[in-house]
């Protein structure tokens, strides 16, 4: 189907999807969740085609991990939809209502955005998450995934559309652009006559291309150069556990730790301890001179270059730098971070509060892994992306981020003099 036809049909379905009741939306979401689990074998078979192509094309391990669909991830996709069905429906919520001196009652209530376009890379789970969040908020979604996941995405969308039709709902509540060429992607970015908002999810290059080229309003989701700062008062065992989790639990995600800052006074004691832990996963460290000097034998430690401080590795690699104070740590983070997720490990309340107040990021942690910046972990059921901008939405984007508001005004015959 031509792109213009896809967008036109989505626009036509917007009115019907936007007025569904909460009961209708929840029933459809539960039906889709059940259908995904029924389609397990087909989903995994189609995903294996994408995985095999990825291996042939020497796709990095972190990206292969993002691409993979298995039994567990299908269960997670279905459970995410069920959780969304169980959340409060924000559509129709009246946020305020005030009476003016002339008797007018002026309020605001939540409404759908309309048609949401999402351009993303090799993350098939985004297909189900995006549908669930958009559908619950009365939005229609048009997806343009990457060519690396095209077989997986086709299978997931077909499964969702089958469930929608069984619920007597328009299958155009979700559409997939199957032409994965750059030319079609750029054409999609200019479909502002049909699409109300565009959300890119992927690497820095994809996001920059969408932001710079789209004529549709864009909600910018960000890459993740996430830092952990180990303060001089930190519990070393806790710090090692948190860093190990944030760096190695999943290397190909935007909330993984990519950069480490360590207070100068604890380098000689803490670094050997941390390196022993990271060596369990053969993590390579790109370090400054002080950390190089404190390093133990048989650990992969290399002198850092300037570009390492701003690098999102998406690999078993991490940069490490010493700082002399929490002030220096904050300054370094605010210079090199991507506005995503930052953490401090400390037992000093004053330093913790300063870090929370002064670090400029969508999510700031004290004594916890950056891996929690996630819609599922925040109780949103899923997420449409993690916004690193400051207008409309910031951080994990759940249901409320996919709504707008309109003013509603009640009168009893007032006219303006």
């Amino acid at each position: 189907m031509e792109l213009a036809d896809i967008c036109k049909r989505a626009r036509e379905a917007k009115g019907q999807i936007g007025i569904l009741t909460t009961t209708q939306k929840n029933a459809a979401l539960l039906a889709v969740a059940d259908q995904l689990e029924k389609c397990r074998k087909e989903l995994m078979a189609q995903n294996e085609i994408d995985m095999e192509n990825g291996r042939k094309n020497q796709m990095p391990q972190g990206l292969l991990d993002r691409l993979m669909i298995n039994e567990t991830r299908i269960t997670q996709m279905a459970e995410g939809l069920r959780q969304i069905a169980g959340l409060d429906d924000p559509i129709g919520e009246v946020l305020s209502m005030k009476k003016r001196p002339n008797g007018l009652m002026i309020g605001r209530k939540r409404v759908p955005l309309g048609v949401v376009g999402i351009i993303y890379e090799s993350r098939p789970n985004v297909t189900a998450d995006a549908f669930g969040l958009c559908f619950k908020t009365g939005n229609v979604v048009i997806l343009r995934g990457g060519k690396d996941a095209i077989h997986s995405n086709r299978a997931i969308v077909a499964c969702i559309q089958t469930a929608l039709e069984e619920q007597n709902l328009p299958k155009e509540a979700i559409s997939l652009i199957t032409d994965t060429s750059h030319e079609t992607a750029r054409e999609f970015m200019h479909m502002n006559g049909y699409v109300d908002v565009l959300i890119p999810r992927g690497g820095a290059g994809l996001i920059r291309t969408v932001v710079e080229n789209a004529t549709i309003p864009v909600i910018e989701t960000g890459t993740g150069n996430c830092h952990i700062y180990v303060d001089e008062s930190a519990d070393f065992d806790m710090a090692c556990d948190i860093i190990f989790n944030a760096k190695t639990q999943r290397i190909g995600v935007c909330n993984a730790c990519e950069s480490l800052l360590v207070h100068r006074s604890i380098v000689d004691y803490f670094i050997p301890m941390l390196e022993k832990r990271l060596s369990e996963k053969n993590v390579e460290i790109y370090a400054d001179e002080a950390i190089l000097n404190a390093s133990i034998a048989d650990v992969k430690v290399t002198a850092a270059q300037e570009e390492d401080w701003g690098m999102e590795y998406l690999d078993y690699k991490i940069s490490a730098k010493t700082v002399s104070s929490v002030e220096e740590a904050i300054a370094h983070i605010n210079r090199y971070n991507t506005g995503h997720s930052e953490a401090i490990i400390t037992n000093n309340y004053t330093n913790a509060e300063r870090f929370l107040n002064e670090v400029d990021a969508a999510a700031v942690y004290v004594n916890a892994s950056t891996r929690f910046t996630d819609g599922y972990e925040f109780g949103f059921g899923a997420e449409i992306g993690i916004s690193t901008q400051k207008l409309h939405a910031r951080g994990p984007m759940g249901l409320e981020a996919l709504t707008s508001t309109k003013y509603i005004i009640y009168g009893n015959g007032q006219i303006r003099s």
Side-chain angles (χ1 to χ4, degrees):
M1 188 184 299
E2 293 293 326
L3 177 61
D5 291 331
I6 292 173
C7 294
K8 183 179 180 181
R9 292 187 183 191
R11 193 76 176 179
E12 290 171 349
K14 180 175 76 167
Q16 185 175 347
I17 299 301
I19 61 172
L20 293 176
T21 66
T22 301
T23 299
Q24 288 174 307
K25 290 187 285 190
N26 289 345
L29 287 167
L30 295 175
V32 170
D34 291 342
Q35 187 68 24
L36 284 173
E37 292 185 323
K38 290 178 185 176
C39 295
R40 284 179 188 272
K41 290 184 179 179
E42 176 64 14
L43 296 182
M44 289 191 291
Q46 293 300 311
N47 178 251
E48 181 54 34
I49 297 173
D50 292 329
M51 290 291 290
E52 182 59 30
N53 288 336
R55 288 188 285 265
K56 287 180 181 178
N57 294 327
Q58 299 182 325
M59 181 182 285
Q61 185 58 45
L63 296 184
L64 282 171
D65 177 66
R66 287 186 174 192
L67 177 60
M68 182 180 64
I69 294 176
N70 55 23
E71 292 269 1
T72 299
R73 292 188 182 177
I74 292 171
T75 298
Q76 289 172 342
M77 284 192 288
E79 181 58 28
L81 292 173
R82 295 186 181 110
Q83 284 197 13
I84 293 169
L87 295 174
D88 291 339
D89 186 349
I91 298 303
E93 177 187 2
V94 177
L95 301 175
S96 64
M97 183 66 69
K98 296 180 180 179
K99 187 174 184 179
R100 298 292 297 150
N102 61 6
L104 286 177
M105 297 293 294
I106 300 179
R108 287 192 307 136
K109 74 173 184 178
R110 291 194 185 278
V111 296
L113 291 171
V115 178
V116 177
I118 302 178
I119 299 178
Y120 59 111
E121 293 176 335
S122 304
R123 296 283 294 273
N125 65 294
V126 171
T127 306
D129 291 349
F131 163 75
L133 290 167
C134 287
F135 188 79
K136 178 78 178 218
T137 47
N139 294 299
V140 172
V141 65
I142 302 174
L143 303 172
R144 191 277 186 185
K147 65 179 180 180
D148 296 326
I150 186 61
H151 295 89
S152 306
N153 289 335
R154 278 177 171 163
I156 294 170
V157 170
C159 181
I160 293 171
Q161 289 181 332
T162 295
L164 288 172
E165 290 183 311
E166 290 177 353
Q167 294 290 307
N168 296 314
L169 295 172
K171 67 179 183 179
E172 290 81 10
I174 179 172
S175 301
L176 178 70
I177 299 170
T178 56
D179 183 344
T180 59
S181 67
H182 293 301
E183 292 76 16
T184 298
R186 288 182 182 273
E187 185 182 356
F188 185 39
M189 296 176 204
H190 292 86
M191 287 288 171
N192 47 292
Y194 300 101
V195 182
D196 295 290
V197 66
L198 193 59
I199 303 172
R201 283 193 64 172
L206 168 68
I207 294 167
R208 183 171 57 251
T209 297
V210 174
V211 170
E212 292 177 355
N213 290 278
T215 56
I216 303 167
V218 175
I219 299 177
E220 183 176 352
T221 61
T223 54
N225 178 28
C226 302
H227 296 74
I228 293 177
Y229 166 53
V230 185
D231 194 28
E232 60 183 328
S233 66
D235 179 308
F236 288 3
D237 288 326
M238 178 194 290
C240 287
D241 287 343
I242 288 172
I243 295 166
F244 185 79
N245 174 264
K247 177 67 262 181
T248 71
Q249 197 246 353
R250 283 189 70 185
I251 59 172
V253 290
C254 59
N255 56 19
C257 176
E258 304 285 19
S259 299
L260 177 66
L261 298 174
V262 180
H263 194 282
R264 194 175 306 278
S265 66
I266 63 171
V267 166
D268 291 337
Y269 304 99
F270 177 68
I271 288 300
M273 183 177 176
L274 176 65
E275 288 177 340
K276 287 179 182 178
R277 189 69 189 279
L278 292 179
S279 67
E280 295 174 20
K281 293 287 188 176
N282 295 314
V283 176
E284 298 179 46
I285 302 172
Y286 295 83
D288 68 1
E289 185 176 357
I291 292 174
L292 282 169
N293 291 337
S295 294
I296 58 177
D298 301 322
V299 174
K300 297 179 180 178
V301 184
T302 304
Q305 305 299 314
E306 172 64 23
E307 58 265 26
D308 286 303
W309 309 137
M311 184 70 70
E312 184 185 32
Y313 295 106
L314 301 176
D315 201 347
Y316 289 104
K317 299 176 181 180
I318 192 170
S319 68
K321 188 179 189 301
T322 51
V323 293
S324 59
S325 65
V326 67
E327 293 87 355
E328 186 179 345
I330 292 168
H332 179 92
I333 290 170
N334 285 342
R335 177 179 177 185
Y336 291 100
N337 79 344
T338 53
H340 197 294
S341 301
E342 312 297 338
I344 182 173
I345 315 301
T346 186
N347 284 316
N348 185 305
Y349 175 82
T350 301
N351 287 352
E353 290 302 301
R354 182 164 189 180
F355 194 88
L356 288 173
N357 291 333
E358 297 183 20
V359 167
D360 187 9
V364 187
Y365 294 83
V366 176
N367 295 333
S369 170
T370 57
R371 286 284 289 114
F372 286 102
T373 307
D374 175 86
Y376 188 89
E377 295 291 341
F378 277 28
F380 301 159
E383 69 188 32
I384 206 73
I386 297 173
S387 172
T388 54
Q389 65 181 32
K390 298 181 182 180
L391 294 177
H392 177 69
R394 196 179 192 195
M397 295 170 58
L399 297 176
E400 290 185 2
L402 289 171
T403 68
S404 184
T405 61
K406 68 179 176 183
Y407 283 94
I408 52 175
I409 303 97
Y410 293 94
N412 56 2
Q414 286 90 340
I415 59 173
R416 185 169 178 175
S417 58

